[in-house]
Amino acid sequence: MGVDQVLGLLKVVHNMGGRVDAMFVNDAVDVDLGDLSHVIDAAEMLGLLKAGGGDVELTEEGRAAVEMPLREFQKYLKKKLPSVEPFSSLVKLVTSKERVELEELVSYLQGLGYDERGARRILNWAVFAQLVEIDDGEWVIPA
């Protein structure tokens, strides 16, 4: 899921009091019903949200993410993502080679089981979190 979808989910939950039935969230978040569970999973994986019993609830980190400036959220992700797969593997690959062709990296992520769309979203998260950069539109380099 995209960064904007996760942040959108966090903001909706925050605006609804910090804890809400997931069914009410679906109407307010710009994702299909089937994708909402993936957005919730992504937020939960990042420690920003807890889900259980049909409810979603912001964690302290999730509440802070909503209230902090975007740059601070990027710093949070820069600390958090390197310990989460597939970001850990992505950073190791790019760091070990110093630069990887964009399409090679997408193929690498596809080899880990992601479709092309998912692979590109993972790369977008890594760029947003300033783990890697895109150089000349065709190379992925360490940030």
Side-chain angles (χ1 to χ4, degrees), residues 4 9 12 17 21 23-24 26 33 38 41-42 44 49 70 77 79-80 86 95 101 103 112 128 130 142:
D4 56 337
L9 170 64
V12 166
D21 187 312
M23 293 301 290
F24 294 118
N26 188 61
L33 181 59
H38 297 298
D41 289 345
E44 206 169 13
L49 192 72
L70 193 58
L77 290 177
K79 289 179 190 173
K80 183 77 173 178
T95 303
E101 284 186 271
E103 293 308 316
L112 296 177
F128 178 79
Q130 301 174 338

Coordinates of all heavy atoms in Angstrom, one line a residue, residues 4 9 12 17 21 23-24 26 33 38 41-42 44 49 70 77 79-80 86 95 101 103 112 128 130 142:
D4 N 0.6 7.3 1.2 CA -0.6 8.2 1.3 C -1.8 7.4 1.9 O -2.6 8.0 2.7 CB -0.9 8.9 0.0 CG -1.2 7.9 -1.1 OD1 -0.7 6.8 -1.1 OD2 -1.8 8.3 -2.1
L9 N -5.4 6.5 6.4 CA -6.0 5.6 7.4 C -5.7 6.1 8.8 O -6.6 6.2 9.6 CB -5.5 4.2 7.2 CG -5.9 3.2 8.4 CD1 -7.4 3.0 8.4 CD2 -5.2 1.9 8.2
V12 N -7.8 9.2 9.5 CA -9.2 8.9 9.7 C -9.4 8.3 11.1 O -10.3 8.7 11.8 CB -9.7 7.9 8.6 CG1 -11.1 7.3 9.0 CG2 -9.8 8.6 7.3
G17 N -11.4 9.5 16.9 CA -11.2 9.3 18.3 C -10.0 8.3 18.7 O -9.8 8.1 19.8
D21 N -14.4 1.0 14.7 CA -14.7 -0.2 14.0 C -14.2 -0.1 12.5 O -14.5 0.9 11.9 CB -16.3 -0.4 14.0 CG -16.7 -1.7 13.4 OD1 -16.2 -2.1 12.3 OD2 -17.5 -2.4 14.0
M23 N -15.1 -1.3 9.8 CA -16.2 -1.1 8.8 C -16.5 0.4 8.6 O -16.7 0.8 7.5 CB -17.5 -1.8 9.2 CG -17.3 -3.3 9.2 SD -16.8 -4.0 7.6 CE -18.3 -3.7 6.6
F24 N -16.4 1.2 9.6 CA -16.6 2.7 9.5 C -15.5 3.4 8.8 O -15.6 4.4 8.1 CB -16.8 3.3 10.8 CG -18.1 2.9 11.5 CD1 -18.0 2.2 12.7 CD2 -19.3 3.0 10.9 CE1 -19.2 1.8 13.4 CE2 -20.5 2.6 11.6 CZ -20.4 2.0 12.8
N26 N -13.7 2.1 6.3 CA -13.7 1.9 4.8 C -14.3 3.0 4.0 O -13.9 3.4 3.0 CB -14.4 0.6 4.5 CG -14.3 0.2 3.1 OD1 -13.2 0.0 2.6 ND2 -15.4 0.1 2.4
L33 N -12.5 -2.0 -0.6 CA -12.8 -2.8 0.6 C -11.7 -3.9 0.8 O -11.2 -4.1 1.8 CB -14.2 -3.4 0.6 CG -14.5 -4.2 1.9 CD1 -14.4 -3.4 3.1 CD2 -15.9 -4.8 1.7
H38 N -5.1 -4.7 3.6 CA -3.7 -4.5 3.3 C -3.1 -3.2 3.9 O -2.0 -3.2 4.4 CB -3.4 -4.6 1.8 CG -3.8 -5.9 1.2 ND1 -3.2 -7.1 1.5 CD2 -4.7 -6.2 0.3 CE1 -3.7 -8.1 0.9 NE2 -4.6 -7.6 0.1
D41 N -2.8 -3.9 7.5 CA -1.7 -4.7 7.8 C -0.4 -3.9 7.7 O 0.5 -4.1 8.5 CB -1.6 -5.9 6.8 CG -2.7 -6.9 7.0 OD1 -3.3 -6.9 8.1 OD2 -2.9 -7.7 6.1
A42 N -0.3 -3.0 6.7 CA 0.9 -2.2 6.6 C 1.1 -1.3 7.8 O 2.2 -1.2 8.3 CB 0.9 -1.4 5.3
E44 N -0.1 -1.8 10.7 CA 0.2 -2.6 11.9 C 1.7 -3.1 11.9 O 2.3 -3.1 12.9 CB -0.8 -3.8 11.9 CG -1.0 -4.4 13.2 CD -2.2 -5.4 13.2 OE1 -2.6 -5.8 12.1 OE2 -2.6 -5.7 14.3
L49 N -0.5 1.0 14.2 CA -1.9 0.7 14.4 C -2.0 -0.7 15.0 O -1.2 -1.6 14.7 CB -2.6 0.7 13.0 CG -4.1 0.7 13.0 CD1 -4.7 2.0 13.4 CD2 -4.5 0.4 11.5
L70 N 5.6 15.9 8.3 CA 5.9 14.8 7.4 C 7.4 14.4 7.4 O 7.7 13.2 7.4 CB 5.5 15.2 5.9 CG 5.5 14.1 4.9 CD1 4.6 13.0 5.3 CD2 5.1 14.7 3.6
L77 N 10.2 6.4 9.7 CA 10.3 5.2 8.7 C 11.7 4.9 8.4 O 12.0 3.7 8.3 CB 9.5 5.6 7.4 CG 8.0 5.7 7.5 CD1 7.5 6.1 6.2 CD2 7.4 4.4 8.0
K79 N 14.2 4.9 10.4 CA 14.6 4.0 11.5 C 14.0 2.7 11.5 O 14.6 1.7 11.8 CB 14.4 4.7 12.9 CG 15.2 5.9 13.1 CD 14.9 6.5 14.5 CE 15.5 7.9 14.7 NZ 15.0 8.5 15.9
K80 N 12.7 2.6 11.2 CA 11.8 1.4 11.3 C 12.0 0.5 10.2 O 12.1 -0.8 10.4 CB 10.4 1.9 11.5 CG 9.4 0.7 11.7 CD 9.4 0.3 13.1 CE 8.3 -0.8 13.3 NZ 8.4 -1.3 14.7
P86 N 10.4 -6.5 3.1 CA 11.6 -6.7 2.3 C 12.6 -5.5 2.2 O 13.5 -5.6 1.5 CB 11.0 -6.9 0.9 CG 9.8 -5.9 0.9 CD 9.3 -6.0 2.3
T95 N 23.1 -1.4 -1.1 CA 24.3 -1.0 -0.4 C 25.5 -1.9 -0.9 O 26.6 -1.3 -1.1 CB 24.2 -1.1 1.1 OG1 23.1 -0.3 1.5 CG2 25.4 -0.7 1.9
E101 N 20.4 -1.2 -11.2 CA 19.4 -0.7 -12.1 C 18.0 -0.9 -11.6 O 17.7 -1.9 -10.9 CB 19.5 -1.5 -13.4 CG 20.7 -1.1 -14.3 CD 20.7 -1.8 -15.6 OE1 21.2 -2.9 -15.7 OE2 20.1 -1.2 -16.6
E103 N 15.1 -1.5 -12.9 CA 14.4 -2.7 -13.4 C 14.9 -3.9 -12.7 O 14.2 -4.9 -12.5 CB 14.3 -2.8 -14.9 CG 13.5 -1.7 -15.5 CD 12.1 -1.5 -15.0 OE1 11.4 -2.5 -14.8 OE2 11.7 -0.3 -14.7
L112 N 10.9 -12.1 -4.8 CA 10.6 -12.3 -3.4 C 9.1 -12.5 -3.3 O 8.6 -12.7 -2.2 CB 11.0 -11.1 -2.6 CG 12.5 -10.8 -2.4 CD1 12.7 -9.6 -1.6 CD2 13.2 -12.0 -1.8
F128 N 10.7 7.2 -0.1 CA 10.1 8.2 0.8 C 10.8 8.2 2.1 O 11.0 9.2 2.7 CB 8.6 7.8 1.0 CG 7.9 8.7 2.0 CD1 7.4 9.9 1.6 CD2 7.6 8.3 3.3 CE1 6.8 10.8 2.5 CE2 7.0 9.1 4.2 CZ 6.6 10.3 3.8
Q130 N 13.8 7.6 2.6 CA 15.1 8.0 2.4 C 16.1 6.9 2.7 O 17.2 7.2 3.2 CB 15.5 9.3 3.2 CG 14.6 10.5 2.8 CD 14.7 11.7 3.6 OE1 15.2 11.7 4.7 NE2 14.3 12.8 3.0
P142 N 22.2 4.0 -2.6 CA 22.0 4.2 -1.2 C 21.7 5.7 -1.0 O 22.3 6.6 -1.6 CB 23.3 3.8 -0.5 CG 24.0 2.9 -1.5 CD 23.5 3.4 -2.9

